[in-house]
Structure formats: structure tokens, C-alpha cells
Amino acid sequence: MSNVMADSSAPLIAIIEDEAPIQKFLQASLQVEGFRVVPATTAKDGVRLITQEHPAIVLLDLGLPDADGISVIKSIRGWSSLPIIVLSARGEEKSKIEALDAGADDYLTKPFGIGELLARIRSALRRAARPAAEGEDHTFRFGKVHGDLAARRVFVEQEEVKLTKLEFDLLALLVRNRDRVLTHQYLLKEVWGPGSANEPHYVRVFMANLRKKLEQDPSRPLFLITEQGIGYRLQSQT
Amino acid sequence: MNEPERPTPEQMLARIRSESTEVESASSEGKLRLFFGYAAGVGKTYAMLQAAQAMKREGREVVIGYVEPHARPETHALTQGLETISRLEIPYRGSVLQEFDLDSTLARKPEFVLVDELAHTNAPGCRHAKRWQDVEELLAAGINVLSTLNVQHVESLNDVVAEISGVQVRETVPDSILQRADEATLIDVSPDDLLERLRQGKIYVPTQATFALEKFFRKNNLVALREMALRHAADRVHDDVEVARLGSAASRPWPTNERLLVCVGPSPTSAKVVRAAKRLADRIHAPWIALHIESASAAQWSDADRQQLHRNLRLAESLGGEIVQASGDDVSQELLAYASSRNVTKIVVGKTDETTRRWWRGSNSLVVRMLRNSGNMDVVVVRGVDEPHPTFTSWYSNSSKLHPLRWLEAISYTIAAMLITLLMNFAGFSEVNLVMVYLLAVVAIAARCGSMPSMAASLASVLIFDVLYTQPYYRITVYDSQYLVTFAVMLIVGLLASTLTSRVRYQADTARKNERRAEALYRLSRRLANTAKTADLLQETEQIISEVFDAHAVIYLPNEERKVRPILGHVASFAASAKEFATAQWVLDHNEPAGAGTNTLPSSEALYIPLSTPDNVAGVMAIQPSKANSQISIDARQLLETYATQIAFAIERNNLSERSQRAELESEAEKLRSSLLSAVSHDLRTPLAAIAGAASSLDANINRGSIEEANHKLLETIVDESKRLTRLVENLLHMTRLSSGKVQINRQWQPVEEVIGSALHRLDHVLGGREVKVQIEGELPLVNGDDILLETVLVNLIDNALKYSPSHTPIEIQSQLAGRGIAIQVADRGCGILPGDEEKIFEKFNRGSGRNTDRRGTGLGLAICDAIIRAHKGTITAKNRDGGGTIVRFTIPNESAPPSIIPEIDE
């Protein structure tokens, strides 16, 4: 592209997507936003690109012509923890869960607006930059809710909210992974332990309780978002 | 220690069974209450109506199905206040007969129905020949019946009554229906009172029966009938006591391991023997078999004999006996062999049965031989009484009438023998040789023409020999007494030869007949095995049946709704008639034969036999004899039933293989369709995603000033519309998957709030600032549904509400408990639905005529909701809202209780 103006310090984004129109729109939009991009249209090319160019983040389409997107995630996770955002269509919840379980950081359902994409890219980049600092900051804030993970205290505005142990554990897990989708099975295993796989309704019931205690309108939550068919996400910015 | 006797396990089991069948019949079948009397006028109808009035006062639903319309005023008064089902009027020979209307009653389905005169014979044109059959159908439909019956109408008592009163009662009721009566009330008055009532004209007497009734209402008659009625009622009580006693472990054992066998022949007296056997069997609680042995003598039977045999066997069948037919030369030997093979303990034979027919056997009659060889079996000998029997022509029997040509042939043989002997006489042959020639002729005639011509020929030969060759010539008188020996020997040899040869002929005939049947059955089964297509199979079968039985055969098959399909343009003309068609349907529904020759719908032209396999009725076979006015004999019917089973299994097998082929084809087509669809939808979604993304990207530039404000709206439109198109593609995809039934419902227990919340979240950008009220009533249980599909339903409903209502009105979502599950409703203040469209709007591609047609939408949304809710076994309905607007409400039932949540112990 002749009109690319991104400087060489801008983050590099690898786009692994076989559909030319999407590829074109992603490249154009991201470059306008100041990112550098490298495209690939096959899984094989994609993996090679990542090893050679060391991108800061990967956008990965699940339906590639030569290989399953899941296998790409697995092969990347073999040696790198760079953020991967999966692009997929509605009705493919099963493969989304598989992708997340295989180590993808996030997913976006097509069609998506550029605003949504940028928000996900930025939060993924933020998370990637953070790991070293994670132990230091115990405090969190979203909307009117704030609290301290170490002190196990949560407030809505000035009023302290009493959470049960499991409710707090669930919230803490979401806070630590804010803006990321956590699958039902992951939440179950982390909060209730490995023996609880057959009781997914626990997560749903406890999420409902958390919403009642923390959200202003529990039937239209702003932060504790349901990713239907997949899991939950704590959306820290609205 | 005198422990009270305990019932054996078998007895307990029998009791449990009888109790459990009672429970079953109590739950599904109606109860029969009988008012039982010994003559007309004892007050049965009156008592029945009184009982009905009492039940009505208790608040039960009692309806009069049929009560004799010419009742006395007191009786008539009791019908007041009871609902009466109008009678069926049937025109018959210039007058109109009034009959009980079975179909109206079945449709009305009252709790109790009164049907007077159980023994009544229905007018031709009614479904059943007898009223008790109507009652059986009512009971089967779960309707309780109250009815009346006189003792002389009980089938097994019929001939005893006839003997006592001298009046032969034609209208009889099988004992089986009496036995299934749950309650029988004996209505009794003294004969003197009854006669007094008759004198006062209080007893309804149909005018045509006055004579018979005069004969009937004699005091000694009435006394005897009363005794019978009382005894019958006492027997019933005894039975009830017996069952109860076994339950309480009393001392006497359950009566018998007895089995009774009765011989049935073609004699009219056999009917009496059969009835006697039935009574005896009842008394000793034994099952019984009616056995007919076809011996060589059957060759001499007339058509009337065969018909009588048929009637006797049918009688035994209707009285609850098992029908067995066997063949053999020696009746007594066959009979005893069969009896011992079935562990029979008592044999019932008629006294006049065989003896009158076989005078030459003298003391060696059947009875005597039976007595001699019966071993440890009891032989009960019953005196037979002749009964008049109507005659009708037989069908499918080897006609024993001789063709006139046979007689001609016999005469020509005799003449030939005469001519040859004349020649031989001229040539000087001795008389002994001449005798030989005559004997040869007699044997030849016996072999060729049957026994009657040969007997005649042997007599003729004796006469001719006497006249031509013994002195005095040309006279019948004989001088030399030695010739008498010659004559006697000639005659005896002739008679013996004719008996023997005719027996051989008969056996050959029987063998040929059996062979023909076996061959036909073999042919049928081979063709059934080789025919893959059901249509061909039916055609083949109809053809074979037509050939073997000399009849028109039609096979009806049911469609998916278990309705028989009419067959048009069939060679058998009756197949297209609506009436015949109705009979076929009845047979299919009830899995019992009906039509001509049976007691159900006997006015049909054809006999209808169900083609039943153990768990299904595969179809109905109709048979109509080619010859008009002929009937189907019992052995033909048995053979037909054998065929029916074979055909039924063949049809069933073909159905299965056709079904599996269809399933295979369907799954192929389904695979193709879904791969095509996912390809198409992928191809549609990709450009749409690119358009939406690109437009949003351009729109984002507005902040940098690189795009004009005016274009912002245009870009927004592009984004919104491409998202809408994407939803449409998704809906299409959903619809095709759902309608092909390939969507697996992934049920998860979840809170209702979450489903509503996630649907609203997904519609955030469409909702804008639109007011949405969510109301959840009380603590709702978790709901067991597919999270993604339920979200799709709500997204569609909310989207519709948005589309079809003004933007300043709120959208209201409510959820409450509905049975074990929950109900959710989405209400708007829009334009509503046109009355009558409430169900149509859930059909595919229907947008509701009441709605503005310029609004966008494909009419798929609600169809998808409907399909999803159905897949969850819930319901979805739409209605207009008070004050304007639409309410769509759906339910999701929970088939089991929601899982529990173990509460946390709070530290």
C-alpha cells in the first residue's frame, strides 16, 4: 500500500484470513488507525509469518482453506503467548469454545464494526504488556463498582457489598481476566474445582447473583456480559 | 398347628391378574350394568330408569340412548328430565324403523348411557347386526352402559328355554357379554303378579308377537323361566364368592385343570350339543374346544349340510369355544387322538349324531366306539334336538351335486356292458364271465362317476343279468335259487366297490384341494418374497387370492393418519363404494373381521379381514365371491386368515425397507442441502461482513475530519442494513436446519434473567434509547433450554416489537411461572394482529396482513421462534393486547425438576 504512513514503532498485526474482501478492509482500517499489518491467506503462511515477523498480535480466521484455525492456535501456543483474536461467524460457538480452550485470547463474531475490533485489539495488547505488573495492583474499578482483590472487599459507589466466598472468587477471576471471554468450563474448573464439570448451572446461577448485587439493572447488564453459548466477559469499559 | 390353607402362587397370580384387568377396564373401558329378568313386564326398564334418575341426582351424567318408545305411563314419566339421544330412523320395506344411534352416542360420549333390550336385532343398515355389539363398542369407547336382558335371550340357555316354553327365541346374546357385566341386578316379581299385570294391559306387547306371547305367558312357563333366571343370578353370585374366597385362602381348591371337547358335525342337533357343552364348561370353569373331523362321509354331504356345519362351528366360536378342524377316516380314533394330545378330560357327543346316518354300522356307532376307547376321559352323551335351519347357497365347497353328464356316462357304461355280454353270450362264454363284465362296468362307473351312479348301476346290472341270462328269460323271477347267490354277490361287490372307490375319490379330491391350497400358499409366499414394490405386491396378491378363491380381492392400505385409502378404477367394482370403504376403515381401526358373513356391518358386499402383524394392522383385505349370493365358508375363511398373516408380514417388510430407503435418500439430500446452505451462507456473510466493517471504518474517520458530517448518516445506513442482511441469512440458515429437524437441542439449566439479558445486549445497537421494561415475577426456577436458541427467539420477538411499534412506546418483557416451567411474553404498543391471523403469523414467509407491508422483514422470524419452541416442547401464541398492541407469549416446560444448588456456608 503506497499510502501507508505507520511508523516502524507502531504495533505489527498479523492478519490470517483467506477472504480477500475482509483482508482488504482489515488492512485498510488498521493502517488508518496507525498499526502496521502483515497479511497471510493460509494457515501455513500464517505460521511462517509469525515466526519471521514477530507480530504483536494475531487476527485469525477459523475457516482457513488448508487447515483448521484451532490447529494454528495450538501450534502458536507451542512456543509463544502472543495475543490471538479469533474471527468467526455466528452459529460456530463450538469452534469458538475450542479456540478459546486451545489458547485464543478473544473472539469476534462477524460482522463486526471497526470500533469493536479496535477495542479488542487494544485490550489484548494491554493485557499482553501487563503480566509483570499483575501482582502489584489489587484494586479494580468498573462503572460504579470498585474493590480490592487482596482485601476481598467490593463496593458499589461508597457502599460495601457482601459477597459469598464463591461469588468473590468468580468475580476475582473475571477481574483478573477483564475484557476476555472465559468459558463456562474454565470458570467452573477454576472456582468450583475439577470435579464440577457436570454442573454448569452453578456458574450461571452465581453470575445471576453477582449481577443482582453489582449491576444497576441486572436484566440489562453493562459489565458482566453473557457471551451466549460460550461463557462470560467482564467488560471494563462501555 | 392348623395353619389356614394359603392360595398357591398360581392362584394368587390369577387373582392379581383378574384384579389388574379390572383396574385396567375401570380406567379405559366402560362398565356394564345389566337389569336381568325372566320375562317381559317384570319391570327391568322401570328399574333401570329409576337407577338412572338416582345417578342423575348424584350429579352423574346420564343419557338415554334408547328406551322402548311405547312404554307404560309410569315408565315414561321416569324418562323425564333425562337427556335423550335422538333415534336413528331407517327406512325398511316401506316403513321406518327406529334404532339406537351408536355414532351419535359415541360422539356425545356421556358418562352413562341407557340402552334398553340388549338382545335386540338391529335393522339392516345399522353398523352391527345386534345391539349387544353396539354396547360392546360403547364400552370399548369408555362409556358406561346400563341395559336390560331377559333370561331366554342368553345364548347358552336358548334351547332349554325353547324346550320349556315351546317358543324358539331367535334374538340371543352371547354369554361373554354377560360375563363381562360388572354388575347384574335381578328384577323379580312372582308369576301371579306378572300375569295380573298382563291382564291389566300393563305389559307392552308388540302386536306381531301376540300369539307367541300368549304361548309364553303361561304360569308353568313363567315359573320355570323364573327358576332359570334365579339360578343364573345365583351362579353369578357364586362366581363372585369363589373369586373372593380364593383371595381369603379358603379350603377348596380352584376347581379344575379340566378341558372339554365337543364334537361338531353337520347335523342341526349339533347346535344343542354345543350349547350343552358350553354350559358344562362354564360350570366346571374349563376351557373348551369344538372339534370337527372331516371324514370320507363328508363326500356325501349336501350344500345344506356344509352350511349347517359352518353355522354350528360359528355358534361354538361365538360361545367362546376354540374351533379346530381335522380330517381322518375313523372319526372316533381321530377324535380321541386329538383329545389326548390336548389333555382333554371330558368329551361331549350328541346321541343322534352319527347313529341315524350310519345305520349299517349298527351298534358300532360313534358313541359306542368312543365309550370303548376313551380311557380315562369322561364321555358325556347329550340328546340332540332338531332345529330348523335356513338354507342358503354355499360357496367354496366341492359341490357334491353330480353333473347330468356323469349319469349319462354311467348309463352308457351299463349299456356297453350289456352289449358286450350279449355278444359274449352269442360267442358262448359262460355266465361267470358275463358277471365279471358287469362288475367291471360297476367298478368303472364308481371310479368315474361317483357312488350314486355306481350303486344304481350295480342294481341295474343285477336286473339286466336276471332278465337276460337267467331262466325264465325276460322276466324278473328266477327259477334256480342258486342265482340268488350270484345276484347277492354282484350287488354286494358293486356296493362295496362303489363305497370304496368313492372314498378313494373323495380322498383324492381332498388331497388335490389341499395340494392346490398348499401350492397357492407357496406361490404366494414366493411371489411375496420376490416383490420389492408394495404396489406390485398388492397386485400379485389380489390376483392369487382371486384365482384360488374364485373371488374378487382388494387390499386397502392405510395412510399416515391410519385412514384407509379408497381404490378407484379397480377391477372389483365394490372397491370404490363409500359404504364398503367405511367397513374397511372399521376393520382397520378394530383389528377384527367384518362385512358379509360376519355380525358386524353384514350388509357389506365383501368380507373384510385385517392384515395384522403382532404389533400393527398393515392393511385390510376385502373378498367378494364372484358368484352372487354365495357365502364364504369357515375353512375358506381360515385359509384366508393364513394368507392374511403372510400378506401382512410382506407388506410390513416392504414398508420397512421402503422407509429405510427413503430415510437414506433423505439423509443424502439433507447432507447436500446443508452443505449447499453453509456454502451459500458463508458466501453471503463474507461480503456482508466486509461491507459492514468497511463502512464502520469509514465512519470512524469522521472524528478525524476526513469525512463530511452529511455522509455519516449514509455510512450508518450501510452498516445497519448489512447487519440486518446478516441476520436474515442467519435466520434462513436456522430455519432450514430447524425444519429439517437436524438441530440438536443443547439443553442447559439457566436463569431466565440471563436469557433476556443476553438478548437485550445483542440488540443494544438496534434498541438505541428505546424503553424496555423487564419484569420477572417472583423467584422463578431455572429453565431447561438451549441458550443460543432461546436467545434467538427473544431477539426475533424483541426485534419484531421494535419494527412494528412506534418508537416512543415501551417494549415490555415479562416472565412468570407456567406449570413446572416458565413463560416469557414480549408485548408492544404497535398495530396488533388482524383477528384470525393469530396462528398464521407463525407460518413461514407470513408477515401478517394487518401489518404495514412496507416494513422490512421476511416473515421468517416467528416461524423460527415457533420451530424452536416446538423443539423445546413448549407453545408459542400471539394475541392482541388490551389497549392496542401485540403480545407474543411462549412457554418452556421443564420435564424434570431443576437441579439443586447447594447453598454456600458463609464464613
Side-chain angles (χ1 to χ4, degrees), chain A residues 17-22 25 28-30 32-33 61 63 89-93 109-116 118 162-167 184 199-208 211-212 217-222 225-230 232 235, chain B residues 682-683 685-698 700-701 704 722-723 726 730 733 737 748-751 753-762 764 767-768 770-772 774 776 779 782 787-788 791 899-907:
Chain A
E17 162 71 78
D18 63 319
E19 296 291 346
I22 308 266
F25 131 67
S29 306
L30 292 173
V32 167
E33 295 298 330
D61 179 35
R90 192 171 299 283
E92 294 170 358
E93 278 70 18
T109 302
K110 293 179 194 171
F112 49 82
I114 193 72
E116 257 175 301
L118 289 175
K162 189 113 178 70
L163 295 183
T164 66
K165 178 188 173 293
L166 289 173
E167 280 167 5
H184 285 120
E199 291 168 329
H201 60 279
Y202 269 84
V203 182
R204 296 179 193 265
V205 171
F206 277 76
M207 271 315 280
R211 283 198 188 113
K212 275 179 200 152
D217 181 355
S219 64
R220 294 188 73 176
L222 294 172
I225 303 300
T226 308
E227 297 284 342
Q228 201 60 279
I230 295 167
Y232 297 94
Q235 194 163 305
Chain B
H682 182 247
D683 284 358
R685 279 198 284 197
T686 305
L688 283 172
I691 292 169
S696 74
S697 180
L698 264 182
N701 291 349
R704 300 185 186 85
S722 48
K723 285 196 172 167
T726 311
E730 276 164 17
L733 204 62
R737 283 195 196 138
Q748 303 274 342
W749 290 102
Q750 55 203 308
E753 305 93 295
E754 185 169 291
V755 190
I756 297 173
S758 72
L760 287 172
H761 181 71
R762 206 179 129 194
D764 244 355
L767 281 165
R770 187 73 175 264
E771 189 189 350
V772 181
V774 179
I776 289 162
E779 281 286 305
L782 297 181
D787 47 5
I788 296 169
E791 191 197 78
S900 55
I901 301 279
I902 300 160
E904 254 179 280
I905 301 151
D906 227 351
E907 312 113 82

Side-chain angles (χ1 to χ4, degrees), chain B residues 382-458:
Chain B
V382 179
R383 183 177 63 90
V385 167
D386 271 335
E387 275 177 25
H389 58 88
T391 51
F392 36 91
T393 57
S394 136
W395 173 73
Y396 194 72
S397 65
N398 275 350
S399 173
S400 56
K401 260 187 214 145
L402 276 177
H403 203 272
L405 273 178
R406 295 280 174 228
W407 282 103
L408 266 179
E409 202 180 336
I411 291 167
S412 60
Y413 278 139
T414 319
I415 291 169
M418 197 170 78
L419 292 175
I420 291 168
T421 49
L422 276 175
L423 283 174
M424 286 169 73
N425 197 27
F426 278 127
F429 281 92
S430 74
E431 285 162 2
V432 182
N433 290 329
L434 303 187
V435 171
M436 290 300 161
V437 172
Y438 280 108
L439 283 180
L440 180 68
V442 168
V443 172
I445 290 167
R448 298 270 308 152
C449 319
S451 59
M452 285 301 285
S454 81
M455 280 188 217
S458 74

Side-chain angles (χ1 to χ4, degrees), chain B residues 689-736:
Chain B
I691 292 169
S696 74
S697 180
L698 264 182
D699 203 21
N701 291 349
I702 198 163
N703 302 329
R704 300 185 186 85
S706 63
I707 196 158
E708 285 172 39
E709 175 69 27
N711 288 340
H712 165 66
K713 283 228 151 30
L714 298 177
L715 288 168
E716 214 175 48
T717 312
I718 297 176
V719 173
D720 286 353
E721 292 307 287
S722 48
K723 285 196 172 167
R724 185 191 295 280
L725 268 176
T726 311
R727 266 219 308 286
L728 169 66
V729 171
E730 276 164 17
N731 269 350
L732 265 170
L733 204 62
H734 259 308
M735 194 67 240
T736 20

Side-chain angles (χ1 to χ4, degrees), chain B residues 535 537-547 549-557 564-577 580-581 583-584 587 605-611 618-625 632 640 644 647 651:
Chain B
L537 183 133
L538 296 187
Q539 216 181 353
E540 292 269 345
T541 314
E542 286 173 3
Q543 202 185 333
I544 292 178
I545 303 261
S546 302
E547 281 166 18
F549 293 91
D550 188 21
H552 298 304
V554 178
I555 291 173
Y556 296 88
L557 293 185
V564 164
R565 284 185 293 230
I567 301 169
L568 301 172
H570 197 277
V571 276
S573 53
F574 71 89
S577 131
E580 298 296 308
F581 181 56
T583 313
V587 171
E605 283 179 49
L607 169 69
Y608 290 78
I609 296 174
L611 302 174
V620 176
M621 176 164 67
I623 323 281
Q624 183 196 35
I632 293 164
L640 276 170
I647 299 165
I651 293 174

Side-chain angles (χ1 to χ4, degrees), chain B residues 223-251:
Chain B
V223 170
L225 285 172
R226 187 185 185 200
E227 190 190 329
M228 270 174 56
L230 289 169
R231 193 180 286 171
H232 200 80
D235 274 354
R236 237 193 104 87
V237 174
H238 175 76
D239 284 351
D240 291 349
V241 169
E242 194 82 329
V243 172
R245 187 178 55 74
L246 279 164
S248 63
S251 55

